[in-house]
PDB file of all heavy atoms in Angstrom:
ATOM      1  N   GLY A  32      66.699  82.242  55.486  1.00 69.00           N
ATOM      2  CA  GLY A  32      65.658  81.615  54.662  1.00 69.00           C
ATOM      3  C   GLY A  32      64.356  81.433  55.431  1.00 69.00           C
ATOM      4  O   GLY A  32      63.269  81.539  54.867  1.00 69.00           O
ATOM      5  N   TRP A  78      45.181  58.270  66.005  1.00 88.00           N
ATOM      6  CA  TRP A  78      45.446  59.168  64.879  1.00 88.00           C
ATOM      7  C   TRP A  78      44.471  60.343  64.869  1.00 88.00           C
ATOM      8  O   TRP A  78      44.864  61.499  64.687  1.00 88.00           O
ATOM      9  CB  TRP A  78      45.344  58.395  63.567  1.00 88.00           C
ATOM     10  CG  TRP A  78      45.696  59.218  62.345  1.00 88.00           C
ATOM     11  CD1 TRP A  78      46.933  59.457  61.849  1.00 88.00           C
ATOM     12  CD2 TRP A  78      44.773  59.915  61.508  1.00 88.00           C
ATOM     13  NE1 TRP A  78      46.872  60.252  60.737  1.00 88.00           N
ATOM     14  CE2 TRP A  78      45.536  60.557  60.504  1.00 88.00           C
ATOM     15  CE3 TRP A  78      43.399  60.064  61.495  1.00 88.00           C
ATOM     16  CZ2 TRP A  78      44.959  61.327  59.502  1.00 88.00           C
ATOM     17  CZ3 TRP A  78      42.830  60.833  60.511  1.00 88.00           C
ATOM     18  CH2 TRP A  78      43.598  61.456  59.528  1.00 88.00           C
ATOM     19  N   LEU A 115      59.511  82.118  64.518  1.00 80.00           N
ATOM     20  CA  LEU A 115      58.241  81.797  63.879  1.00 80.00           C
ATOM     21  C   LEU A 115      58.445  81.011  62.591  1.00 80.00           C
ATOM     22  O   LEU A 115      57.786  80.011  62.315  1.00 80.00           O
ATOM     23  CB  LEU A 115      57.451  83.087  63.595  1.00 80.00           C
ATOM     24  CG  LEU A 115      56.116  82.915  62.843  1.00 80.00           C
ATOM     25  CD1 LEU A 115      55.148  82.067  63.648  1.00 80.00           C
ATOM     26  CD2 LEU A 115      55.498  84.291  62.527  1.00 80.00           C
ATOM     27  N   VAL A 196      -2.693  34.513  68.069  1.00 90.00           N
ATOM     28  CA  VAL A 196      -1.900  33.483  67.411  1.00 90.00           C
ATOM     29  C   VAL A 196      -0.463  33.951  67.195  1.00 90.00           C
ATOM     30  O   VAL A 196       0.492  33.209  67.475  1.00 90.00           O
ATOM     31  CB  VAL A 196      -2.544  33.106  66.051  1.00 90.00           C
ATOM     32  CG1 VAL A 196      -1.604  32.259  65.213  1.00 90.00           C
ATOM     33  CG2 VAL A 196      -3.851  32.363  66.270  1.00 90.00           C
ATOM     34  N   ILE A 231      13.454  47.594  64.070  1.00 86.00           N
ATOM     35  CA  ILE A 231      14.565  46.699  63.743  1.00 86.00           C
ATOM     36  C   ILE A 231      15.887  47.316  64.211  1.00 86.00           C
ATOM     37  O   ILE A 231      16.729  46.637  64.826  1.00 86.00           O
ATOM     38  CB  ILE A 231      14.600  46.400  62.229  1.00 86.00           C
ATOM     39  CG1 ILE A 231      13.378  45.585  61.821  1.00 86.00           C
ATOM     40  CG2 ILE A 231      15.881  45.643  61.867  1.00 86.00           C
ATOM     41  CD1 ILE A 231      13.259  45.333  60.333  1.00 86.00           C
ATOM     42  N   HIS A 304      -0.551  30.975  52.945  1.00 88.00           N
ATOM     43  CA  HIS A 304      -1.370  31.765  53.861  1.00 88.00           C
ATOM     44  C   HIS A 304      -2.314  30.863  54.627  1.00 88.00           C
ATOM     45  O   HIS A 304      -2.634  29.738  54.199  1.00 88.00           O
ATOM     46  CB  HIS A 304      -2.139  32.861  53.126  1.00 88.00           C
ATOM     47  CG  HIS A 304      -3.158  32.350  52.147  1.00 88.00           C
ATOM     48  ND1 HIS A 304      -4.436  32.024  52.489  1.00 88.00           N
ATOM     49  CD2 HIS A 304      -3.055  32.115  50.807  1.00 88.00           C
ATOM     50  CE1 HIS A 304      -5.096  31.595  51.441  1.00 88.00           C
ATOM     51  NE2 HIS A 304      -4.289  31.637  50.389  1.00 88.00           N
ATOM     52  N   PRO A 414     -29.516  33.608  60.853  1.00 86.00           N
ATOM     53  CA  PRO A 414     -28.147  33.313  61.306  1.00 86.00           C
ATOM     54  C   PRO A 414     -27.667  31.956  60.786  1.00 86.00           C
ATOM     55  O   PRO A 414     -28.403  30.967  60.816  1.00 86.00           O
ATOM     56  CB  PRO A 414     -28.281  33.294  62.839  1.00 86.00           C
ATOM     57  CG  PRO A 414     -29.479  34.150  63.113  1.00 86.00           C
ATOM     58  CD  PRO A 414     -30.413  33.926  61.988  1.00 86.00           C
ATOM     59  N   HIS A 467     -22.177  27.784  48.011  1.00 93.00           N
ATOM     60  CA  HIS A 467     -22.966  28.382  49.073  1.00 93.00           C
ATOM     61  C   HIS A 467     -22.062  29.165  50.023  1.00 93.00           C
ATOM     62  O   HIS A 467     -20.925  28.758  50.287  1.00 93.00           O
ATOM     63  CB  HIS A 467     -23.737  27.311  49.858  1.00 93.00           C
ATOM     64  CG  HIS A 467     -24.888  26.735  49.110  1.00 93.00           C
ATOM     65  ND1 HIS A 467     -24.727  25.949  47.977  1.00 93.00           N
ATOM     66  CD2 HIS A 467     -26.246  26.821  49.319  1.00 93.00           C
ATOM     67  CE1 HIS A 467     -25.924  25.583  47.533  1.00 93.00           C
ATOM     68  NE2 HIS A 467     -26.840  26.090  48.316  1.00 93.00           N
ATOM     69  N   ASN A 541     -41.170  27.657  54.707  1.00 94.00           N
ATOM     70  CA  ASN A 541     -42.263  27.644  55.686  1.00 94.00           C
ATOM     71  C   ASN A 541     -43.203  26.514  55.293  1.00 94.00           C
ATOM     72  O   ASN A 541     -44.160  26.702  54.537  1.00 94.00           O
ATOM     73  CB  ASN A 541     -42.988  28.992  55.700  1.00 94.00           C
ATOM     74  CG  ASN A 541     -42.211  30.052  56.473  1.00 94.00           C
ATOM     75  OD1 ASN A 541     -42.081  29.958  57.697  1.00 94.00           O
ATOM     76  ND2 ASN A 541     -41.698  31.039  55.760  1.00 94.00           N
ATOM     77  N   LEU A 628     -39.019  37.767  30.211  1.00 97.00           N
ATOM     78  CA  LEU A 628     -38.413  36.633  30.905  1.00 97.00           C
ATOM     79  C   LEU A 628     -37.048  36.302  30.317  1.00 97.00           C
ATOM     80  O   LEU A 628     -36.913  36.083  29.117  1.00 97.00           O
ATOM     81  CB  LEU A 628     -39.321  35.415  30.831  1.00 97.00           C
ATOM     82  CG  LEU A 628     -39.081  34.332  31.877  1.00 97.00           C
ATOM     83  CD1 LEU A 628     -39.367  34.851  33.283  1.00 97.00           C
ATOM     84  CD2 LEU A 628     -39.961  33.103  31.583  1.00 97.00           C
ATOM     85  N   ILE A 712     -28.339  20.677  17.200  1.00 90.00           N
ATOM     86  CA  ILE A 712     -27.032  21.306  17.019  1.00 90.00           C
ATOM     87  C   ILE A 712     -26.904  21.920  15.621  1.00 90.00           C
ATOM     88  O   ILE A 712     -26.313  22.980  15.436  1.00 90.00           O
ATOM     89  CB  ILE A 712     -25.915  20.279  17.260  1.00 90.00           C
ATOM     90  CG1 ILE A 712     -25.912  19.847  18.737  1.00 90.00           C
ATOM     91  CG2 ILE A 712     -24.543  20.835  16.886  1.00 90.00           C
ATOM     92  CD1 ILE A 712     -25.652  20.971  19.726  1.00 90.00           C
TER      93      ILE A 712
END
Side-chain angles (χ1 to χ4, degrees):
W78 184 84
L115 176 62
V196 168
I231 293 176
H304 64 87
H467 287 67
N541 282 292
L628 200 64
I712 293 299

